[in-house]
Amino acid sequence: MRTEQVQYFLETVKTGSFTKAAENLHIQQPSLREAIINLENELGGNLFYRSKKGVELSEFGRFCLPYFQLIQESYEKMKLKEGFLMRTVAGKTVVLPCDETLDLNMMITLN
């Protein structure tokens, strides 16, 4: 399991759509869908029910959701170490001063 897969899963839950999740994450929809399928294969169950209207959590997905949320929360807290946020920008680690009230979702990603 990769951290990106957890992020993709949670964004898909939030939007109810692979397409909308991919747009929000600035990735191609087939890449997101493939990552979710690989995650499902690794875990041994379907995380979503798929339809023409979008996706919704399966029973297995509902079971997994709090664990994925905990993984994501723990990962974000780990990156906030002693008041500094570590980010990789252009292949180099950059340390940004911050505090625990920083909303990581509001940060601008540099490309």
Side-chain angles (χ1 to χ4, degrees), residues 8 18-19 22 27-38:
Y8 297 173
F18 288 142
T19 301
I27 63 169
Q28 296 294 316
Q29 186 269 359
S31 298
L32 182 136
R33 189 175 161 277
E34 181 180 352
I36 296 292
I37 289 169
N38 289 339

Side-chain angles (χ1 to χ4, degrees), residues 50-80:
R50 293 148 170 91
S51 73
K52 292 181 181 181
K53 296 180 182 180
V55 297
E56 67 178 75
L57 281 174
S58 66
E59 187 175 330
F60 181 61
R62 283 191 298 277
F63 169 80
C64 293
L65 178 60
Y67 296 103
F68 286 127
Q69 290 169 327
L70 183 60
I71 290 167
Q72 183 69 18
E73 181 182 323
S74 297
Y75 178 71
E76 296 298 338
K77 285 181 180 179
M78 182 182 68
K79 292 191 308 185
L80 282 172

Side-chain angles (χ1 to χ4, degrees), residues 1 3 11 26 38-39 48 59 65 78 81 87 91 98:
M1 180 182 329
T3 56
E11 189 64 27
H26 308 288
N38 289 339
L39 182 60
F48 295 101
E59 187 175 330
L65 178 60
M78 182 182 68
K81 182 181 177 190
R87 283 283 200 209
C98 63

